[in-house]
């Protein structure tokens, strides 16, 4: 059920959970001060309780409700990238609910760049918002995806298609050197330039599992099996497979072959929708053309990360 921003704010204030648009993916918003509403989010998603949530803020001024951490790095990053697809991990205040942080001593904060959701946050205050998919499924990038996962009666604000299409960059500012826990649209190079210091691009596997609990779990998966396209594309294309290409020299024109012709931002924007489309059409395989070296385009580390995770053990 599509609801207005005003209706969504009143639902959130009364303890309900609502689908909200952001520039990355749709989120499942609950009042960040209401432990019952937050618990409802975990139940709805089927999310493990040890996977903490991101708190969404209207502006940097709201950081002080959740963290006393005030450093030049925080100011530089929020001035440059907020509202935007950057989540900061900061030491948490004692008052922050344990259900948000899953008992960690840090809290994840971001201000999303979407007019509807910024208006919502102004009306109802900070909300927790994990991606609005059932746990393990691809994140939703359109309101219909949220309804597909939670039913037609579920309240969601229609903010159109998400501009970026993959989740925010998660940056840990509590370690000695700022470290990316989840790559996103904002790259290590961009962050490093703004901070004038090194930013660790992606942590080692075991470190990652320890620091960012969410990364332990299966993610972003359609029912179709996601695979890197081995070698050149078979001719003609298999009928029950979706082919996601980007080299721009595909000679095939079929409904199940799509070539992004070097436009990696568009590929990122469409990726989860294509995953969901493949499932709806009953296609059982998704072949993705191997990506070029990640240094070629700032979104490639994030794109590679999501595709590899969705191609993980089935
Ligand atoms: O773009 C996004 O970030 C979207 C939109 C809705 O804002 N949200 C999103 O939330 O992707 P979710 O819950 O699907 O992913 C949050 C990630 C998880 O990997 C989680 O483990 C990590 O952030 N996280 C949350 N709090 C953390 C903390 N205190 N320390 C380390 N990682 C944390
Ligand atoms: Mg998620």
């Amino acid at each position: 059920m599509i609801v207005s921003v005003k209706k969504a704010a009143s639902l959130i204030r009364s303890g309900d959970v609502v689908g909200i648009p952001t520039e990355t993916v749709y989120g499942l918003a609950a009042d960040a001060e209401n432990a019952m509403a937050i618990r409802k989010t975990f139940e709805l998603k089927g999310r493990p309780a040890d996977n903490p949530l991101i708190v969404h803020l209207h502006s940097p001024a709201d950081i002080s409700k959740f963290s006393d951490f005030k450093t030049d790095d925080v100011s530089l990053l929020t001035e440059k990238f907020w509202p935007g697809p950057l989540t900061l991990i900061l030491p948490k205040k004692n008052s922050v609910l344990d259900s948000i942080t899953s008992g960690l001593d840090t809290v994840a904060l971001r201000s999303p760049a979407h007019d509807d959701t910024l208006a919502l946050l102004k009306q109802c205050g900070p909300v927790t918002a994990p991606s609005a998919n059932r746990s393990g499924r691809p994140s939703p990038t359109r309101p219909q995806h949220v309804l597909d996962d939670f039913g037609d009666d579920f309240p969601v604000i229609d903010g159109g298609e998400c501009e970026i299409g993959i989740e925010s960059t998660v940056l840990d500012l509590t370690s000695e050197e700022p470290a990316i826990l989840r790559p996103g649209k904002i790259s290590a190079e961009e962050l490093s330039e703004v901070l004038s210091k090194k930013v660790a691009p992606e942590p080692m596997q075991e470190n990652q599992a320890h620091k960012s609990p969410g990364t332990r779990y299966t993610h972003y998966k359609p029912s179709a099996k996601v695979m890197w396209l081995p070698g050149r594309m078979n001719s003609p294309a298999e009928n029950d497979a979706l082919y996601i290409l980007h080299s721009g020299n595909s000679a095939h024109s079929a409904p199940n072959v799509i070539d992004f012709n070097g436009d990696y931002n568009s590929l990122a924007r469409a990726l989860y929708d294509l995953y969901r489309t493949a499932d709806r059409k009953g296609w059982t395989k998704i072949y993705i053309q191997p990506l070029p070296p990640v240094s070629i385009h700032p979104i490639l580390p994030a794109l590679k990360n999501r595709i590899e995770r969705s191609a993980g053990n089935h």
Side-chain angles (χ1 to χ4, degrees), residues 1 3 27 65 79 100 187 199 215 221:
M1 175 186 29
V3 296
K65 295 179 186 161
E79 269 165 37
I100 297 180
S187 65
V199 169
T215 52
K221 274 195 178 179

Side-chain angles (χ1 to χ4, degrees), residues 173-253:
L173 287 180
T174 67
S175 45
E176 212 162 296
E177 177 177 88
I180 290 184
L181 301 182
R182 180 178 72 181
K185 165 101 174 160
I186 298 176
S187 65
E189 289 71 26
E190 278 176 277
L191 294 166
S192 175
E193 200 178 310
V194 169
L195 294 175
S196 311
K197 64 166 93 161
K198 189 167 178 302
V199 169
E202 262 181 81
M204 305 297 291
Q205 282 302 318
E206 64 269 31
N207 183 11
Q208 187 171 25
H210 164 71
K211 275 287 201 174
S212 189
T215 52
R216 266 203 305 273
Y217 298 104
T218 307
H219 266 94
Y220 322 120
K221 274 195 178 179
S223 304
K225 188 169 165 52
V226 178
M227 290 167 284
W228 294 112
L229 183 67
R232 289 186 64 80
M233 204 179 112
N234 299 340
S235 176
E238 293 172 40
N239 287 328
D240 67 340
L242 169 65
Y243 292 81
I244 304 177
L245 314 176
H246 49 77
S247 62
N249 53 18
S250 149
H252 297 267
S253 67

Side-chain angles (χ1 to χ4, degrees), residues 19-41:
I20 60 164
T22 82
E23 78 284 33
T24 57
V25 300
Y26 274 73
L28 213 51
D31 180 350
E33 287 180 5
N34 183 334
M36 289 270 280
I38 293 167
R39 200 167 318 132
K40 217 185 275 177
T41 317

Side-chain angles (χ1 to χ4, degrees), residues 25-94:
V25 300
Y26 274 73
L28 213 51
D31 180 350
E33 287 180 5
N34 183 334
M36 289 270 280
I38 293 167
R39 200 167 318 132
K40 217 185 275 177
T41 317
F42 279 91
E43 278 165 18
L44 269 168
K45 274 186 68 96
R47 182 181 177 106
D50 61 353
N51 189 2
L53 303 179
I54 299 172
V55 180
H56 292 58
L57 308 174
H58 179 262
S59 75
D62 292 329
I63 292 176
S64 59
K65 295 179 186 161
F66 298 89
S67 177
D68 290 323
F69 200 67
K70 289 191 205 90
T71 62
D72 290 345
D73 287 358
V74 173
S75 309
L76 288 166
L77 292 171
T78 55
E79 269 165 37
K80 173 79 182 173
F81 296 112
W82 280 17
L86 176 66
T87 296
L88 299 178
I89 306 295
L90 305 179
K92 71 161 194 132
K93 273 177 128 164
N94 283 338

